[in-house]
Amino acid sequence: MAYQSGLGNEFETEALPGTLPLGQNSPQKVAHGLVSELMSGTTFGAPRGLNRRSYLFRIRPSVQHGRFEQAGSTSFLTPPFTLPAAPLDYCWGPYKTSQASVDFLDGLVTIFGTGSPLSQTGVAFHAYSATASMRDKVFGNADGEMLIVPHVGGLHLVTEYGILDVYVGEIAVIPRGIRFRVELLDGYAGGFVCENFGMPLRLPELGLIGSNGLANATDFKIPVAAYEDHDGSVQWTHKFGGNLWNCQMDHSPLDVVAWRGSLYPYKYDLHRFVAMGTATVDHPDPSIFCLLTSPSDPILGPNFDVMAITPRWVVGDHTFLAPGFHRNCVTEFLVLLQGKFGDLELGSTTLTNGFTPHGPDARTQGALRETSPSPVKLDDQLMLLFETRFPVQVTHFARSTMPVVEDYASQWDAIPKRFGT
């Protein structure tokens, strides 16, 4: 699969030579009988470095889409939810659908969330479990950009901008409003979706780290133009205002022959992450693992941060090598993709609301306080840690149907009192 490289770059790509107009975006007549269409991901007056927009040169304009009708109830939900935000430590095992045939969209279930797309703040966290590819249907989300995290099975994402093949150990980001179809590469796919209602995700500033490290822009992959010229019934499901809306089209809307600009979907291989760590004492703050950020308040915390916990060396002089006990002003949620993290199964996720105490389990705490802090190479651990400054609410589905690890909080009960010993 061919890709372009470099998150934040301006790109231009054409599936048919001679499509892109020279020196303008809206010529009187576009080559090959196409139409020009602008897609804006930020306000027109956003600073140049943060402005996100692209011109699409497509077979039919997007206004030809039929009439919207609100879809029925679904397990793909939008906050706020009815259950109160609780100061609890949650843990769920991997979710797998019991349905014989279900695609990515119908297989989405919401676990927790905060904020609202109406106020354009917060985030929702979903699991997906799919046994079939999407057929004659596409999906677009006007409420939030979607960060897709496979934990089993690869995905073939056919978007308006081109194709992304995404495997376990990679992530994909689909900006708000971009339509796409999900096909399965391995017969079954399971994973997670973080739906970001706030500022678009971008690379964090590196500060004193300098110009290189963490996620390097060149390692992000952007699709090249690819189009479908397909006449036939296609259902477009559009998420808007917390609801799903369907319309029946007489053609595929994935018909962009060429595009140019700074708004596009992309993917990233987590194994490319350049991990940082201590060289002397004390475990550093998790901000050194920041892969992408949706900024909010610089003091209270982010709308949504993505941390990549990848294979790395762990080292420190007379230091407790694991993250210690802490109470954070932000909510944390973690997914295990590879390797070990306590007794969790691959595909498990944990959730800790702000100022709820958490830290190493009794066994880890006991072992690491006694062993010599020699350098340790974590060869296969791969996790994503997410943070938001907002308290989150879990859904009834998460409480009643998701595979809950009931005794998760008991991992700290066996920590002995050592005072005076």
Side-chain angles (χ1 to χ4, degrees), residues 89 325 352 356-362 407-416:
D89 287 288
F325 300 106
T352 305
T356 297
H358 55 293
D361 62 80
D407 59 346
Y408 179 67
S410 66
Q411 63 180 313
W412 299 295
D413 294 344
I415 297 175

Side-chain angles (χ1 to χ4, degrees), residues 225-363:
Y227 67 94
E228 297 180 345
D229 184 8
H230 166 68
D231 294 325
S233 179
V234 174
Q235 177 180 285
W236 171 23
T237 299
H238 188 54
K239 186 170 184 289
F240 184 88
N243 296 299
L244 297 182
W245 302 80
N246 292 332
C247 64
Q248 296 298 322
M249 308 180 66
D250 61 6
H251 64 277
S252 171
L254 310 181
D255 63 352
V256 177
V257 177
W259 61 268
R260 64 156 59 105
S262 56
L263 177 72
Y264 38 73
Y266 56 89
K267 76 167 191 171
Y268 177 77
D269 183 346
L270 296 172
H271 294 93
R272 296 287 188 94
F273 189 77
V274 182
M276 303 287 171
T278 181
T280 54
V281 298
D282 295 347
H283 194 284
D285 293 328
S287 50
I288 65 162
F289 299 108
C290 191
L291 165 64
L292 293 166
T293 182
S294 166
S296 178
D297 188 284
I299 306 302
L300 295 177
N303 179 70
F304 173 43
D305 272 355
V306 187
M307 316 291 184
I309 314 299
T310 60
R312 65 203 182 279
W313 281 97
V314 179
V315 62
D317 293 328
H318 49 81
T319 287
F320 189 81
L321 292 182
F325 300 106
H326 55 290
R327 291 180 292 166
N328 272 3
C329 63
V330 295
T331 297
E332 300 179 11
F333 38 107
L334 178 146
V335 297
L336 177 62
L337 301 174
Q338 181 180 308
K340 293 185 177 296
F341 185 70
D343 296 324
L344 297 186
E345 296 181 67
L346 296 183
S348 297
T349 184
T350 68
L351 166 66
T352 305
N353 257 318
F355 293 108
T356 297
H358 55 293
D361 62 80
R363 183 177 56 196

Side-chain angles (χ1 to χ4, degrees), residues 73-379:
S73 60
T74 174
S75 55
F76 181 19
L77 305 176
T78 299
F81 308 127
T82 56
L83 292 176
L88 302 175
D89 287 288
Y90 298 92
C91 183
W92 295 274
Y95 168 70
K96 189 167 186 177
T97 182
S98 59
Q99 299 182 57
S101 180
V102 61
D103 63 30
F104 171 87
L105 181 57
D106 293 333
L108 278 169
V109 297
T110 304
I111 307 175
F112 53 84
T114 183
S116 166
L118 300 181
S119 62
Q120 296 190 332
T121 59
V123 64
F125 192 74
H126 319 276
Y128 68 85
S129 180
T131 58
S133 296
M134 292 172 64
R135 299 296 183 196
D136 299 322
K137 57 195 292 191
V138 297
F139 177 63
N141 191 340
D143 285 349
E145 67 180 339
M146 300 180 71
L147 187 151
I148 301 172
V149 186
H151 83 78
V152 58
L155 302 178
H156 184 68
L157 304 182
V158 185
T159 82
E160 293 183 88
Y161 288 68
I163 296 171
L164 294 170
D165 282 346
V166 187
Y167 302 92
V168 178
E170 297 182 322
I171 62 170
V173 174
I174 309 292
R176 286 196 305 162
I178 292 178
R179 292 172 290 191
F180 65 101
R181 182 177 67 244
V182 180
E183 300 174 2
L184 308 189
L185 292 174
D186 302 302
Y188 174 77
F192 302 94
V193 173
C194 277
E195 185 184 10
N196 174 29
F197 306 132
M199 293 278 286
L201 287 166
R202 63 182 191 241
L203 289 171
E205 300 299 331
L206 292 179
L208 294 176
I209 293 175
S211 58
N212 300 290
L214 306 186
N216 290 320
T218 189
D219 290 324
F220 289 80
K221 303 301 181 184
I222 292 86
V224 297
Y227 67 94
E228 297 180 345
D229 184 8
H230 166 68
D231 294 325
S233 179
V234 174
Q235 177 180 285
W236 171 23
T237 299
H238 188 54
K239 186 170 184 289
F240 184 88
N243 296 299
L244 297 182
W245 302 80
N246 292 332
C247 64
Q248 296 298 322
M249 308 180 66
D250 61 6
H251 64 277
S252 171
L254 310 181
D255 63 352
V256 177
V257 177
W259 61 268
R260 64 156 59 105
S262 56
L263 177 72
Y264 38 73
Y266 56 89
K267 76 167 191 171
Y268 177 77
D269 183 346
L270 296 172
H271 294 93
R272 296 287 188 94
F273 189 77
V274 182
M276 303 287 171
T278 181
T280 54
V281 298
D282 295 347
H283 194 284
D285 293 328
S287 50
I288 65 162
F289 299 108
C290 191
L291 165 64
L292 293 166
T293 182
S294 166
S296 178
D297 188 284
I299 306 302
L300 295 177
N303 179 70
F304 173 43
D305 272 355
V306 187
M307 316 291 184
I309 314 299
T310 60
R312 65 203 182 279
W313 281 97
V314 179
V315 62
D317 293 328
H318 49 81
T319 287
F320 189 81
L321 292 182
F325 300 106
H326 55 290
R327 291 180 292 166
N328 272 3
C329 63
V330 295
T331 297
E332 300 179 11
F333 38 107
L334 178 146
V335 297
L336 177 62
L337 301 174
Q338 181 180 308
K340 293 185 177 296
F341 185 70
D343 296 324
L344 297 186
E345 296 181 67
L346 296 183
S348 297
T349 184
T350 68
L351 166 66
T352 305
N353 257 318
F355 293 108
T356 297
H358 55 293
D361 62 80
R363 183 177 56 196
T364 300
Q365 196 257 356
L368 290 184
R369 71 187 301 274
E370 300 296 340
T371 57
S372 174
S374 303
V376 176
K377 180 68 178 296
L378 299 178
D379 286 313

